[in-house]
Amino acid sequence: MKTLKNTLLVFMFSSLLLNTSCRTEEIEFEQAPPEDTLSANSSAANLMQRTAMNDGSSSNIVDNANCFNIQFPFTVIVNGVQITVESDDDYDSIEDIFDAFDDDDDELEIAFPIVIILNDYTEITINNYTELYTYASTCSGENENDDDIECIDFQYPITVSIFNVNNELLQTITINNDNTLYHFIDDLDDDDLVSINFPITLIIHDGTTLVVNNLAALENAIYQYDDTCDEDDDYDYNDDDCNNCTVSQLRDILINCPDWIVDDLERNDQDYDDVYEGFLFNFFDNGTIAVSWSSTVVYGTWSTSGSGNNIMVDINIPALPYCNLNWRLHEIEQDSGETKVDLRVGNDNRLRYESDCN
């Protein structure tokens, strides 16, 4: 019996040595070149973690804070209307209520408690405005530099292999979202060697994609597209209303809709809504504007340039000086039987045309 027992021990030890030897050979075979090995605290790891950070600017219309957002669902009361916010789309509903009237005082009340999610995905319960303001005060101000990279994103899943040189543990994991990637990189230590299963796909801010095949290409892509978009780290919820606007769309609307009226006019924070009451504006493809009222007709010029939230509309009607400015297109609203084109420069100049045109 003792002889049999010793024989079994020798067999088990030999098997262990054989398995260890095979595994070592397998690791050496699969291990990526040093330049494609992701290590803790490296430049590539830092860039990847910053890209995977939680972007706190999406909820700015509610919390005025760039370094955290609010966990769904939560409830707010906006100008007396209760809204349950269950996704980013519901922020548009809040904005619609704010924009319904130009001359009212907009109010938003948060129903506490809420849970905020910090840049590192830490979740904190907030019970009142004092606690909310305390955390908001730690955020960077509007449009100040911060760590999160928002102009490029990862397309998941991403597969990585990890070998720890201390315990010789080899494992392969699949990462399915930013939260997991952030904490995966945060948990790396100096004994971990990580090989990313390339190619991986990156999503650029304009919706296009970019395939990268190694770590150097990944670093270059993040460097290239960082700071190439408006990260919307401000509290002006209206400044992205023309994300999808185009010059051709604007020109088609202005030319094909007749008899525009001035619905709202402000110059240097002074109201001039009634100055051009009863005036009809018509835009023509050749760049001229005809304005008629009573038995009078005057002419001017108009032109457009740019794209998205940076479309400019230059209007020059010598007889109507309050209209004349190189305006930025703020928004195009098209409702049943009514279209509005909202033009602005800063916070103190606004010209909104309206036409009974669908």
Side-chain angles (χ1 to χ4, degrees), residues 76-270:
V76 294
I77 299 173
V78 186
N79 291 352
V81 179
Q82 180 172 302
I83 295 178
T84 299
V85 182
E86 299 179 308
S87 70
D88 285 344
D89 291 340
D90 291 318
Y91 293 131
D92 293 334
S93 299
I94 296 174
E95 183 176 344
D96 289 341
I97 295 175
F98 281 167
D99 289 345
F101 302 99
D102 296 328
D103 55 356
D104 63 337
D105 294 324
D106 294 317
E107 296 181 355
L108 184 146
E109 180 182 347
I110 301 173
F112 292 99
I114 58 173
V115 175
I116 63 172
I117 307 173
L118 305 184
N119 282 155
D120 64 358
Y121 296 94
T122 300
E123 297 182 4
I124 298 173
T125 299
I126 302 295
N127 296 293
N128 51 56
Y129 280 108
T130 300
E131 294 179 7
L132 182 66
Y133 295 151
T134 298
Y135 279 97
S137 66
T138 67
C139 299
S140 300
E142 292 186 84
N143 297 317
E144 293 183 5
N145 289 332
D146 52 19
D147 289 335
D148 63 316
I149 296 174
E150 302 173 32
C151 300
I152 191 168
D153 291 298
F154 292 102
Q155 185 177 92
Y156 297 100
I158 296 173
T159 303
V160 298
S161 298
I162 316 139
F163 176 64
N164 186 283
V165 297
N166 261 352
N167 57 27
E168 294 189 353
L169 178 64
L170 174 68
Q171 57 179 329
T172 298
I173 66 170
T174 300
I175 298 173
N176 290 303
N177 53 55
D178 283 341
N179 189 336
T180 304
L181 178 59
Y182 181 93
H183 285 104
F184 168 75
I185 294 176
D186 203 46
D187 292 339
L188 288 179
D189 60 45
D190 293 336
D191 297 321
D192 290 326
L193 300 176
V194 177
S195 176
I196 300 174
N197 185 16
F198 288 101
I200 64 174
T201 300
L202 302 172
I203 304 172
I204 314 304
H205 59 85
D206 61 3
T208 59
T209 58
L210 175 66
V211 177
V212 294
N213 293 293
N214 54 58
L215 207 54
L218 175 60
E219 284 191 70
N220 289 336
I222 296 176
Y223 273 126
Q224 178 182 350
Y225 288 100
D226 185 19
D227 292 330
T228 58
C229 68
D230 179 7
E231 295 190 347
D232 208 21
D233 285 340
D234 56 55
Y235 310 145
D236 181 4
Y237 55 84
N238 273 315
D239 66 353
D240 61 351
D241 289 345
C242 249
N243 280 342
N244 300 314
C245 295
T246 65
V247 164
S248 60
Q249 174 199 23
L250 173 63
R251 288 183 59 86
D252 286 345
I253 289 172
L254 288 176
I255 293 169
N256 293 316
C257 287
D259 296 339
W260 294 89
I261 64 170
V262 172
D263 179 56
D264 190 11
L265 178 59
E266 299 174 26
R267 296 302 302 265
N268 298 318
D269 206 25
Q270 297 294 314

